[in-house]
Amino acid sequence: MLTQLREIVEKVNQADSLEAAMAVLVVQIRDVMQVDCCSVYLVHDALNYFTLAATDGLAQGAVGNIHIEFNEGVVGLVGQKEEPINLADAQVHPRFKYLAEVQEDDYRAFLGAPIIHQRKVLGVLVVQQRCAREFDKNEESFLVTLAAQLANVIAHSQSKGFLAAPNRNKKNIRSIKGIAGSSGIAIAKAQVITPQVTLEMIQTEHTEDVTAELSRFKSALAKSTDEIKALAIRLKGQLPSEALAIFDVYLHMLAEASLSGEIKAQIKQGYRATTAVKLVAERYVAQFSAMSDPYLRERATDTKDVCQRLINHLIGLEPPSLLADELILVAEEVTATMLANVPKEKLKGIVSVKGSANSHAAILARALGIPALMGMALPIEKLSHSLLILDGYSGELYVSPEQAVLLEYQGLLAEEKQLDSIMRDCLEAPAVTKDGVKIEMLLNAGLSADTEIAINEFADGVGLYRTEVPFMLTESFPTELEQSERYRGILQTYAAKPVTMRTLDVGGDKQLPYFPIIEENPFLGWRGIRLTLDHPEIFLVQIKAMLRASIGLNNLQIMLPMISGITEVDDAVRLIHQAWSEINEQARMQGQHLRKPKLGVMLEVPSALYILPQLAKRVDFWSVGSNDLTQYLLAVDRNNPQVADIFDSFHPAVLQALQHIITQAKQHQVSVSLCGELAGDPLGAVILMAMGYTKLSMNTYNIARIKFVIRHVAIAELQAILAQAYELDSGKAVRQLFAQYLEQKGLGGLVRAGK
Ligand code: PEP
Ligand code: MG
């Protein structure tokens, strides 16, 4: 049965349209189950009725021509009840609806299974038999299992199929959903970029003339290197240095010790230069793609990008010309250099079939403030020169939209521009509420593109510097010197303001290529402080690097991630003291004094919330990691799209936890901030302020808009709403309540942007 199931799903998957897939499906099922008739009914997305999508056994003329409401017929009942219905004789069932055009008079036995994707009924799968009999348990479970497996396939191909017949129904306003890689709205024509010769197209060819091939490769390498350097120089004024580091990664890849050396070795073995590039690229791409860390997996794209560039130069291909004055760049895989090639004034948005929010293209897009959608399952050739609306908040893409949708988005775009300029204006103003409460605005830094130099002066310091990325960019643990140079840069950038550096938080979904951790449950495993305490040699080197970087600046604060017990803090304190004594001694010999940095812990593991008094005695500050706290409190993997709806930092339990922390912080007089995503969300920020949080740490993009919100609200008013919020049963209701308040304050546009 398993084999049959798999075969059917595979065949359906191979079909090139939804219609063809459904036609294959019904024939297959009828054959495998040996029934007299099989049909599939799909729900019309906007109008919410079932239509016959395919049948093997009913009248073909009825396909696409009958409508069944959810409250009609036995098919409607399956959809309504969201469960299988097995009837020996459907014709005597009170809900049986006679439709002459389907010609089902001969059929009596009926088995229907709902096709449900993410709680939404997409359709009903039905098998029928002439004789009156109940279907047996095996038949029922086969159909139910098949319907569950098909739900994904149908949901996916519905979004693809939509493009094949746009505007089929004028009343039906539909969009395609992807991953919002960078927020904002863009309206422009699509410029689809498809490489003329891809790596996959390169044939394996050998050469007799190794010297000539080596010299061809050298020249292509020089051109590619120059191009990447030129791109970095061109973007220098527009991008923060952390984002520009992406181009360093590319240059690093082209270096002798990396790709180039290996490509040359292949040429020396007798391969033509193009083949050598392909072989090396394939190997690297396979290695990166197999990694479980999403950041590192994305490096497969970078490898392809760099190698594609080499191929283009080896073959002598011209870069594509960009026709329109304003365009949305669309490609199978938008890469960082593809993006950098388009002048910023032309580039309005990005749509990429492959990639995620971790892709370098998405990171660059965020740094440039350009809306981007990633992971869009669509046949991009069909988009060429079509007008697109890209909604980088909701992740939706509209192709050749109707006038009404266009008008609505044009209005939103104008509003967004206006709001943006108002928010920019208020960047310099103090973050003080209408009733005079000052909020400290701190930055989350360290993730490639998140440190915008221009914003430094408007933030009160760094609330979270994630140190993982420097560790991910090297091929072995970085040395104390390498680390301290990097840390010094950041401490200097924010000199005279506190900079909170978090010790290494790898494990979970963050892996180091040179230190693989293989575990069944990585988020519950060897992560953060657990790992570094087991390796004091790694921990001490990092602490010493931080301390050394702080000599003469003294603005360092150290923070420990994933604390779940007191002994972890005690052990870490001992090691930090040991490192400090050593570095301070060296500093003293140079006539300098190294102040002992303040020490803090992240509150992100629920157990920490029950030992707050003990923690208060041991550390100077707490910082709430609301991302992990939500994940662990609600037992929901923060990276699993299947349960993304359950991950909710507004859940009443999370709110109670946050309230408990701030109450305890006041009682024990410990400074507390919040550095999870919640602080940068307008609704999250106002809830936190209502609770009494006065230190919020967020990425650069959010600083302006949260400052804007702060300046428009009054804590006393927020507290009254919070009291009502505590009575509510769901995160959704809490959000709605605070959203109403923000709307009254004229901040409705921001709430939309925040969700
Ligand atoms: C958090 O968990 O909220 C947090 C800020 O840390 P990270 O997202 O790096 O795990
Ligand atoms: Mg965390």
Side-chain angles (χ1 to χ4, degrees), residues 502 505 527 602 604 625 628 638:
R502 183 174 73 182
D505 183 20
R527 189 189 159 185
M602 298 235 7
E604 48 187 354
D628 277 317
R638 60 195 261 188

Side-chain angles (χ1 to χ4, degrees), residues 74 142 160 186 208 232 282 318 355 442 444 492 496 566 599 698:
V74 189
F142 183 83
K160 278 202 292 190
E208 300 282 294
E282 278 175 353
E318 288 298 311
L442 300 164
N444 285 354
Q492 250 163 355
I566 315 277
L599 179 68
M698 61 201 76

